[in-house]
Amino acid sequence: MGDTGFEVLTETPMKTSLLDQRGTESGTPDAHSTLINADLQSIIDAWAELPRSVRAGIMALVKAEAGKR
């Protein structure tokens, strides 16, 4: 299978380095430099420990809500 841009990891890191990134090649200034909402950070911190079914449920809720816009 060729490079799809996504890597499936067996382990998800508990912390990400998104806050360390600055902007994009297209010029989006400081795209990831804002603080993450506390509720979202709780989900990020717990994600690796959540059962696959719970993660799938969360993703289904997010996708369903995004489809309403």
Side-chain angles (χ1 to χ4, degrees):
M1 177 184 239
D3 184 11
T4 61
F6 294 99
E7 293 182 27
V8 178
L9 304 175
T10 56
E11 296 180 25
T12 303
M14 293 302 290
K15 303 279 184 190
T16 63
S17 62
L18 289 178
L19 296 178
D20 295 330
Q21 298 177 5
R22 299 276 191 250
T24 63
E25 284 186 31
S26 64
T28 307
D30 299 327
H32 295 288
S33 66
T34 59
L35 294 175
I36 294 176
N37 173 283
D39 291 336
L40 178 56
Q41 187 63 53
S42 295
I43 294 169
I44 292 169
D45 291 342
W47 191 259
E49 303 300 320
L50 294 174
R52 185 179 298 243
S53 60
V54 173
R55 292 190 313 246
I58 292 169
M59 292 306 301
L61 289 168
V62 170
K63 289 177 182 178
E65 186 62 30
K68 293 180 181 179
R69 296 181 201 155

